Amino acid sequence: MNVSDLPFFWAVIPAAGIGSRMRADRPKQYLSLGGRTILEHTLDCFLGHPRLKGLAVSLAADDPYWPLLPCAGNGRILRAAGGSERADSVFNALQLLAGQGAEASDWVLVHDAARPNLVRADLDRLLAELADDPVGGLLAVPARDTLKRADADGRVRQTVDRSVIWQAYTPQMFRLGALRQALGDALQAGVAITDESSAMEWAGQAPRLIEGRADNLKITRPEDLEWLARRWADD
Ligand SMILES: Nc1ccn([C@@H]2O[C@H](COP(=O)(O)OP(=O)(O)OP(=O)(O)O)[C@@H](O)[C@H]2O)c(=O)n1
Ligand SMILES: C[C@](O)(CO)[C@H](O)COP(=O)(O)O
């Protein structure tokens, strides 16, 4: 895969969450991993890419940690206003990019700040596979474990056919105009949107699933960071 054959793209990094499930003394994107914050590692996945047109990070209005990071002075990083939900934070970043001259036909990749273990090969595969796709899509992982549907009492009601079940990851890659429209309409309609794909699905589109590495995990709970820190220490 020749990098010059990949499409140019914009990146949106939602980083305005509070990380409540992590139960840490600060939002999880500012916890340390290998001596730097999770957010810095995630930004590095994109800032060095030769096809990156620009990047917007969505930050909480009262975020006291961002100004302390060396990358806070990086002129290539635009700051968008974080919102009450992830979808709001992403939408604000899309609005910002549009105001900075990003075209409706430009590709935009949305990637959780809490996923610092994205490897370049997965990023480039997503770009290559979707470069000519009419809709866009996302990195995802086919379900590996047997899946159970639970009843209200926490007992097994059904074993789910996992052959058609995937876990949605990020980056999720869509044309800026289409995603901005779909997300804006879904937010206005009060639809629960947990990822960019679900906004596109609500708009009637069928995003493509691109298999990626399962270790591009979202740092959500303490054990996630413990595992990744051990993994990075061993590398
Ligand atoms: N209002 C929000 C909520 C989340 N995020 C970002 O979206 C990503 C994925 O969300 P999640 O893992 O749920 O992060 P938090 O909302 O911070 O975690 P929690 O649900 O445990 O509070 C994270 O990088 C988070 O910073 C965001 O930008 N704006
Ligand atoms: C976008 C996402 O990471 C895809 O799996 C996920 O939907 C984020 O959900 P969260 O509840 O905001 O962590």
Side-chain angles (χ1 to χ4, degrees):
M1 182 191 311
N2 188 325
V3 70
S4 60
D5 296 331
L6 298 177
F8 286 99
F9 67 95
W10 300 85
V12 166
I13 308 295
I18 62 171
S20 59
R21 290 170 285 181
M22 183 59 79
R23 300 191 307 278
D25 64 349
R26 65 194 62 199
K28 61 187 179 182
Q29 57 270 28
Y30 292 108
L31 293 176
S32 179
L33 178 64
R36 297 172 74 215
T37 64
I38 287 171
L39 176 54
E40 288 171 285
H41 288 297
T42 301
L43 290 171
D44 280 356
C45 296
F46 294 88
L47 289 172
H49 200 290
R51 307 303 272 185
L52 180 74
K53 298 186 84 167
L55 180 147
V57 59
S58 300
L59 299 170
D62 57 351
D63 180 341
Y65 303 101
W66 173 258
L68 307 176
L69 301 186
C71 61
N74 184 333
R76 294 190 70 202
I77 302 175
L78 302 170
R79 287 184 52 180
S84 56
E85 300 295 330
R86 180 185 178 283
D88 302 294
S89 299
V90 171
F91 183 69
N92 291 343
L94 297 176
Q95 297 285 75
L96 177 67
L97 292 182
Q100 293 289 322
E103 303 287 343
S105 59
D106 287 349
W107 285 114
V108 63
L109 275 63
V110 182
H111 183 64
D112 296 325
R115 292 183 191 267
N117 203 41
L118 172 67
V119 298
R120 177 70 175 271
D122 270 10
L123 175 53
D124 287 353
R125 183 179 322 110
L126 183 72
L127 289 165
E129 291 288 337
L130 297 180
D132 301 317
D133 193 277
V135 174
L138 61 150
L139 282 182
V141 174
R144 298 176 165 199
D145 302 314
T146 295
L147 299 170
K148 304 290 184 184
R149 189 185 303 278
D151 67 14
D153 300 322
R155 289 194 172 275
V156 175
R157 185 154 67 90
Q158 176 193 23
T159 294
V160 177
D161 172 13
R162 73 180 187 203
S163 64
V164 293
I165 302 292
W166 292 58
Q167 281 181 267
Y169 277 37
T170 68
Q172 304 201 4
M173 176 177 167
F174 297 102
R175 300 283 184 182
L176 174 65
L179 179 59
R180 190 178 167 212
Q181 184 69 55
L183 193 49
D185 291 349
L187 288 170
Q188 191 158 16
V191 175
I193 295 294
T194 58
D195 68 349
E196 289 63 61
S197 179
S198 51
M200 297 298 288
E201 294 155 40
W202 185 76
Q205 301 296 329
R208 188 169 157 215
L209 296 157
I210 305 296
E211 185 167 354
R213 293 173 60 101
D215 61 4
N216 171 29
L217 79 164
K218 181 161 62 71
I219 304 299
T220 305
R221 300 181 186 282
E223 61 267 28
D224 302 324
L225 183 55
E226 291 160 14
W227 178 84
L228 192 54
R230 279 199 307 274
R231 167 76 179 279
W232 282 25
D234 294 346
D235 283 358

